[in-house]
Amino acid sequence: MSGPILVVGGGIGGLSAALALGLKGIPVRVLEGAPEFGAIGYGIQLGPNVFPMFEKLGLTEAVLQKSILPDACVMLDAFTGDEITRVPTQQSLRERFGHPYIVIHRIDLHNALLDACRKVGAIELVPEAQVTAYEDRGDAVTVSTADGRAYSGPALIGADGLRSIVRAKIVGDGEPRPIGYVAHRTIVPMTQLPEGVQTNVVVLWAGPGFHIVHYPLRDHSLFNIVAVFKTATYDKKGDLASYRAEIDRTYANAHPAMKGLLDMMDLDRRWTIGDRDPIRHWAKGRVTVLGDAAHPTLQTFAQGACMAIEDGVTLGEYIASSLDDIPAALSGFARARYLRTARIQLESRRVWGDYHAEGVARDVMMQAYREMSEADVFRCLAWIYDGAELPDSGRPRNLKRAAG
Ligand SMILES: Cc1cc2nc3c(=O)[nH]c(=O)nc-3n(C[C@H](O)[C@H](O)[C@H](O)COP(=O)(O)OP(=O)(O)OC[C@H]3O[C@@H](n4cnc5c(N)ncnc54)[C@H](O)[C@@H]3O)c2cc1C
C-alpha cells in the first residue's frame, strides 16, 4: 500500500476505525478538523452489542472502569410518573445478551479510544486538519485541508459526522432531515438533584411531543439530563429567555420531578434533532463513509455511536482481508452494514413516534408497552443487542441458529 489510509474525523467512529486498522498493523492517518481530539462533555448509553467490538479493540477493561451499569432503563409517564415499561439491565440482560448495558461520560469513552490509538505506532493523529475536498484518482485518494495541506493514501474513510463532506460527494443528498425536535443537554452534580428522581436507572419520561432522559455518570458523582421536545423554532437560534419560555410552555403539565430537573438545565446550547433516509450504497471506489456520515439516526435506541463503533471494527476486518483490492473491501463493508444500520434508522423513526404519541395513540402505546414482559422486551431488542456479524465469523447469526 502507498502511504497510510486516511480517516476524516476523529470522533467515535473515526477512532474506532483507526484503532481497528492500526491494531492489524495497517498504517492510518486520522485528520480531525478541531484544534484537539476530544468529545463534547455529556453522557452516552451503550448497549451490549458494542462489547464484542470493544473486545476486538482491546478496550473492554478501560471502558468498564469508567462506566456505570444501571439497574434498568425505565419509561415513565411524564404526567403521573407511573412506570410504563422497563428494560432490566443487570443480571438477566447479561445472561441473555452476554454483555452489560452501560452509561459513560463521552469524554471518558473518547479518551479510552484516544489512549489506545496513541499506543499503536501505525496510527497518526493529526488535529486542526479540516478537510475541504478530496479526489479519488483511481490508484490513490488525495485530500486537501482548509489551510492548504494535502495528503494522499490508498483509501479514504469519511467519519466526518452528520454533515459529512465525504458523503456530500458520494451521495449528494443535501442537508440532514430535521424532525421538528430539539435537545438541550446538561450535567449536574448528583448532590444537587431535586427530591423524587431515580438515580440508578436510565429514565425516559415520555410525554406527547416531549421527553427527558437522565442517568448517572462517573461513580454517581454526576447526573446527565437531556430534554427533547417538539418546537416550531427547531431551526432557529434563540436566546436563553426564549429557550426558557419554550420549555416552560412545553412542560407546563409535566410531573414535578421533571420540572425540578428542567430548572437545573443549562440552556446555552441547543441541538436540532435530525436523521437521513437510509441508503444502500455509501462506498465508491477507494472512498467510504461510516457512522453518522453513513447512517445518522434518531436517538430512540441510543445506538448511533454503537453503530459507528461496529462500523469501525467491521471496516477494519474487510480492509485487512482485502488489502490488494481496496474498492472491493469498501463495497463489501458497506454491503455488510447497510441492512442493520438502515433498520436502526427506520425503527428509530417508528418508535420515536411511540415515545411521543399524543391522544388515543398515546393511551394505546402505554397499554401495549405495559403489557410487555421482560421476555417480550428482550425479544424486541434482540436484533440490536445480539450484535453484528463480523466477516470472519461465518454465516449470519440467524442462519446459524436455524441450522441448529
Ligand atoms: C442528544 C444525543 C444523544 C445521543 N445519545 C446516544 C447514546 O446514548 N448512545 C449512542 O450510541 N449514540 C448516541 N447518540 C448518537 C451519537 O452521538 C452519534 O451517532 C455518534 O457520535 C456518531 O459518531 P461519528 O464518529 O460517526 O460522528 P461524530 O461524533 O459527529 O464525529 C465526527 C468528527 O469528524 C470531525 N469532522 C467533521 N467534519 C470534518 C472535516 N471536514 N474534516 C476533519 N474533521 C471533520 C468532527 O470534528 C468530529 O470530531 C446521541 C446523539 C445525540 C444528538
Side-chain angles (χ1 to χ4, degrees), residues 244-281:
R244 180 58 67 191
E246 272 184 7
I247 284 189
D248 288 348
R249 249 192 337 268
T250 305
Y251 294 84
N253 299 316
H255 191 273
M258 286 175 82
K259 291 189 179 181
L261 292 167
L262 291 164
D263 287 344
M264 305 178 79
M265 292 212 60
D266 165 9
L267 301 181
D268 268 352
R269 236 188 118 181
R270 169 178 271 201
W271 285 263
T272 301
I273 303 286
D275 64 0
R276 291 183 185 272
D277 288 331
I279 47 169
R280 279 203 184 90
H281 306 291

Side-chain angles (χ1 to χ4, degrees), residues 81-303:
D82 293 345
E83 189 169 305
I84 301 170
T85 193
R86 159 177 294 254
V87 184
T89 50
Q90 283 286 335
Q91 195 182 340
S92 57
L93 176 126
R94 286 211 295 277
E95 280 169 5
R96 169 61 186 82
F97 296 109
H99 303 282
Y101 190 99
I102 61 164
V103 289
I104 183 169
H105 204 298
R106 277 175 188 258
I107 291 176
D108 296 338
L109 174 62
H110 218 86
N111 283 342
L113 276 160
L114 272 176
D115 289 348
C117 285
R118 287 189 177 118
K119 286 183 191 139
V120 179
I123 301 174
E124 185 193 355
L125 300 173
V126 186
E128 264 183 302
Q130 182 72 24
V131 172
T132 49
Y134 76 84
E135 194 186 344
D136 184 347
R137 296 194 319 234
D139 57 344
V141 187
T142 54
V143 304
S144 40
T145 63
D147 58 3
R149 279 172 286 169
Y151 297 93
S152 171
L156 174 65
I157 299 166
D160 50 344
L162 192 58
R163 292 191 166 72
S164 162
I165 64 142
V166 181
R167 180 191 180 106
K169 193 155 167 182
I170 295 183
V171 186
D173 56 354
E175 283 290 296
R177 183 196 73 120
I179 58 162
Y181 280 73
V182 296
H184 288 279
R185 304 197 251 196
T186 296
I187 287 191
V188 295
M190 191 71 115
T191 47
Q192 290 177 10
L193 286 184
E195 287 292 304
V197 175
Q198 298 188 58
T199 55
N200 205 36
V201 288
V202 176
V203 172
L204 183 143
W205 297 83
F210 62 85
H211 77 253
I212 286 183
V213 168
H214 56 69
Y215 48 85
L217 291 174
R218 285 199 178 147
D219 283 332
H220 294 87
S221 62
L222 299 176
F223 202 66
N224 189 74
I225 311 167
V226 188
V228 176
F229 57 96
K230 191 155 56 168
T231 168
T233 65
Y234 65 86
D235 58 350
K236 298 193 176 52
K237 190 161 168 37
D239 56 19
L240 282 186
S242 65
Y243 290 163
R244 180 58 67 191
E246 272 184 7
I247 284 189
D248 288 348
R249 249 192 337 268
T250 305
Y251 294 84
N253 299 316
H255 191 273
M258 286 175 82
K259 291 189 179 181
L261 292 167
L262 291 164
D263 287 344
M264 305 178 79
M265 292 212 60
D266 165 9
L267 301 181
D268 268 352
R269 236 188 118 181
R270 169 178 271 201
W271 285 263
T272 301
I273 303 286
D275 64 0
R276 291 183 185 272
D277 288 331
I279 47 169
R280 279 203 184 90
H281 306 291
W282 66 62
K284 194 171 177 192
R286 291 177 174 273
V287 183
T288 188
V289 283
L290 60 67
D292 275 9
H295 41 69
T297 179
L298 302 181
Q299 289 79 51
T300 321
F301 295 114
Q303 279 286 324

